[in-house]
Amino acid sequence: MKKILFVSSEVYPLIKTGGLADVCGSLPIALSELSQDIKLILPRYQALKITEEVRFLCTVRVDNRNVNILETRLPGTQVTVFLVDYPSYFNLPGNPYVDELGEPWSNNAERFGLFCKIAVEVAMDRAYLDWKPDIVHCNDWQTGLVPALLSLEHERPKTVFTIHNMAYQGLFPKVAVYDLNIPGPLWHIAGLEFYDMLSFIKGGLVYADYITTVSPSYALEIQTTEFGYGLEGLLAARKGTLGGIINGIDVEQWDPEIDPYIPQTYTAATLSNKQLNKADLQQHFALPVNEKIPLFSLIGRLVEQKGIDLLVECLPEMMTMNLQFVLLGNGDKAFEMQLQVLADLYPDKIAIKIGYSEAIAHVIEAGADIFLMPSKFEPCGLNQMYSQRYGTIPIVRKTGGLADTVTDTLPETLELGTASGVVFNEASAGALLEAIKRTLILYSIPSAWKKMQVNAMSKDFSWQRSAAEYLALYNNL
Ligand code: ADP
């Protein structure tokens, strides 16, 4: 059994701004189900949705500040969560990164610097909690100073640093080095310095014993200039201690057999029931109800990362084909407007909902035939996994987690029983259009289509599978 301290700036359901929270709320539970002794550490934000008892544990003094450590549990579980309580940094309205007006906290370096230092005190068992972890698992830039500071300690735990998105790096003006009392040995260009700035993420990338990303393909991509944001050289140098582990999904929340949001539940054995969900979805989006017309869909943030520009370019030509398209999402106002214009032009074929709705997301996954995910980059991605569980065939670009979780449909993969979607290479509207045409041909062959659906629905995307991979990694360290 390993003792693991899991360090993150957000953990679902206590606090969430994005996918990081989902991972950090699910993986520790899956590891504890594998009989590991795992405890989380998180800042005590004002917005935390605490449901279990909170207990004061101790006060730790770092940098002349008295910081309380409290203890609670992940809601509805036995998993311990240490809360770093420093009210003037964390007990404020707003989210972990921005204030009520949406402006980044001006003292983010100090806030997460202090959080990291307390995590180090806990990791070294200097907070008198009588528990010393074997592994400290850190996530994203907010925790990057932990592996760096631990690297200076004797008899320290092993460190793992997971990159959920390289686009965020925690870069601060050099003055933060003095404000945070960064030890001299860490401040150089092969350390925490990045073009005269203090880089939190480099703390993880340089000093962690092992680096992971949320898919094997993304682990390779970030070693290239296109995806490395200037850190590709460092990452390439660490390729021997850098790997990818695909995130799991919540297979209970996303299960067409028991999904309470959808009009008709179904399984791979009762796939014909999916038609009822399709009719409901067409009705819901005021499209002609017709089971024969292939129904395309997209859910997600309407931003360039997701390839929405490619979709907007394709839609006029798609309108010459016999198909329908529904979309749920929000994001860039320009994309929202372009999509709305197209929906107004083709009311019988395109229907869009600008907004965020968990319920409608389930209805779309259950009712659509095809799910589009033409992302420019995708560290892991979730919707392509949800889609496969619902027998909704994903069309994805071959990048990051999309490349790792969707198997292109070719004669060989159909034969092997692995074909589960349609994959295209180039990030261009032409390539997306080709993939759409190829999908329409497959859709017109019911026996092939059904095989793809059944293959997709039988894949294992559970956290148990991911957690087993993380545990193997911890054991190897
Ligand atoms: P990212 O984290 O880059 O936005 P992911 O695919 O990893 O992309 O995760 C996005 C999650 O948010 C998915 O669960 C997706 O269904 C959900 N989501 C995004 N936009 C919406 C929306 N408008 N309505 C409902 N769910 C949404």
Side-chain angles (χ1 to χ4, degrees):
M1 184 184 70
K2 289 280 182 221
K3 285 189 244 160
I4 305 148
L5 179 64
F6 202 87
V7 192
S8 171
S9 60
E10 47 182 292
V11 176
Y12 180 82
L14 291 169
I15 184 119
K16 168 170 170 169
T17 74
L20 172 66
D22 289 323
V23 176
C24 298
S26 307
L27 176 57
I29 296 173
L31 283 163
S32 74
E33 285 166 1
L34 292 173
S35 309
Q36 305 306 303
D37 179 10
I38 183 160
K39 301 183 196 294
L40 293 116
I41 187 163
L42 174 78
R44 189 199 189 195
Y45 308 108
Q46 193 171 78
L48 288 186
K49 296 200 183 81
I50 293 173
T51 59
E52 314 292 310
E53 187 193 346
V54 179
R55 198 157 76 87
F56 169 84
L57 290 182
C58 61
T59 301
V60 183
R61 195 166 170 82
V62 295
D63 292 344
N64 291 322
R65 298 171 198 275
N66 287 326
V67 181
N68 294 326
I69 299 181
L70 317 178
E71 182 190 70
T72 184
R73 292 184 196 283
L74 260 188
T77 76
Q78 290 301 310
V79 177
T80 297
V81 183
F82 297 130
L83 300 173
V84 175
D85 181 30
Y86 194 70
S88 64
Y89 282 3
F90 301 120
N91 191 15
L92 301 164
N95 89 12
Y97 318 117
V98 300
D99 64 20
E100 270 181 308
L101 302 172
E103 293 296 322
W105 296 106
S106 60
N107 59 345
N108 265 342
E110 287 88 347
R111 293 170 73 240
F112 291 109
L114 183 71
F115 173 55
C116 288
K117 289 186 178 188
I118 299 299
V120 168
E121 294 307 294
V122 172
M124 293 305 296
D125 199 18
R126 288 193 293 250
Y128 308 103
L129 303 177
D130 199 22
W131 184 81
K132 185 167 183 183
D134 309 304
I135 303 283
V136 179
H137 188 154
C138 302
N139 295 275
D140 274 355
W141 72 262
Q142 297 83 3
T143 65
L145 296 187
V146 176
L149 295 167
L150 279 175
S151 75
L152 304 173
E153 302 278 354
H154 291 290
E155 307 212 358
R156 63 171 179 86
K158 294 288 186 192
T159 52
V160 175
F161 184 76
T162 297
I163 305 163
H164 298 262
N165 193 338
M166 273 298 287
Y168 307 103
Q169 306 198 345
L171 281 177
F172 299 98
K174 192 173 171 179
V175 62
V177 177
Y178 309 104
D179 293 344
L180 297 181
N181 279 315
I182 298 290
L186 299 177
W187 180 248
H188 51 90
I189 48 171
L192 297 177
E193 185 177 350
F194 187 70
Y195 297 100
D196 220 30
M197 307 269 282
L198 169 64
S199 165
F200 269 54
I201 200 171
K202 277 190 80 186
L205 304 187
V206 173
Y207 297 100
D209 294 305
Y210 201 91
I211 304 165
T212 71
T213 66
V214 288
S215 68
S217 289
Y218 194 59
L220 295 176
E221 288 169 349
I222 57 175
Q223 298 175 42
T224 67
T225 40
E226 197 183 345
F227 302 100
Y229 300 92
L231 292 167
E232 57 275 7
L234 166 59
L235 287 161
R238 293 220 49 185
K239 66 171 183 249
T241 44
L242 162 64
I245 298 176
I246 287 281
N247 288 335
I249 60 172
D250 186 330
V251 291
E252 274 157 37
Q253 206 199 335
W254 294 94
D255 182 353
E257 191 171 2
I258 52 170
D259 191 331
Y261 289 115
I262 66 179
Q264 180 62 57
T265 55
Y266 61 99
T267 66
T270 55
L271 255 175
S272 55
N273 283 351
K274 191 169 161 55
Q275 290 300 342
L276 299 167
N277 295 304
K278 178 170 176 176
D280 177 75
L281 177 59
Q282 287 168 323
Q283 211 163 20
H284 188 105
F285 275 83
L287 291 170
V289 175
N290 180 335
E291 82 175 61
K292 295 248 151 31
I293 302 180
L295 178 48
F296 287 68
S297 63
L298 187 149
I299 304 166
R301 294 184 292 123
L302 304 178
V303 296
E304 206 165 307
Q305 181 202 330
K306 301 291 175 184
I308 303 302
D309 50 332
L310 305 186
L311 171 75
V312 168
E313 217 183 312
C314 278
L315 275 169
E317 183 154 352
M318 284 170 74
M319 292 303 101
T320 65
M321 306 169 193
N322 184 32
L323 56 78
Q324 296 174 336
F325 175 65
V326 298
L327 175 142
L328 166 68
N330 52 14
D332 285 357
K333 295 289 165 259
F335 287 140
E336 292 181 0
M337 268 168 53
Q338 288 165 333
L339 289 161
Q340 190 61 61
V341 167
L342 286 162
D344 293 342
L345 262 177
Y346 303 99
D348 277 358
K349 292 192 143 182
I350 304 181
I352 69 169
K353 274 222 158 53
I354 300 298
Y356 190 100
S357 163
E358 192 78 20
I360 300 175
H362 283 253
V363 168
I364 292 178
E365 288 291 7
D369 296 303
I370 297 146
F371 193 93
L372 291 171
M373 223 159 154
S375 306
K376 303 276 166 60
F377 71 94
E378 197 65 79
C380 178
L382 295 173
N383 270 309
Q384 81 282 12
M385 294 192 267
Y386 301 156
S387 298
Q388 289 176 84
R389 273 183 71 73
Y390 282 71
T392 302
I393 297 303
I395 299 182
V396 302
R397 196 172 95 72
K398 190 171 184 172
T399 183
L402 301 177
D404 295 332
T405 55
V406 179
T407 305
D408 194 17
T409 302
L410 302 164
E412 309 87 270
T413 54
L414 267 177
E415 185 68 32
L416 281 170
T418 54
S420 68
V422 173
V423 182
F424 66 99
N425 272 309
E426 198 188 301
S428 71
L432 172 57
L433 210 54
E434 282 308 309
I436 288 169
K437 288 179 188 162
R438 192 148 67 86
T439 307
L440 288 172
I441 293 172
L442 290 163
Y443 185 80
S444 70
I445 313 169
S447 59
W449 194 256
K450 179 143 187 232
K451 264 193 201 157
M452 293 161 69
Q453 288 179 301
V454 172
N455 293 345
M457 292 178 83
S458 56
K459 288 192 166 190
D460 180 5
F461 294 121
S462 67
W463 270 109
Q464 279 69 25
R465 184 195 47 78
S466 293
E469 285 189 53
Y470 279 105
L471 185 54
L473 166 64
Y474 300 155
N475 285 330
N476 277 337
L477 291 172

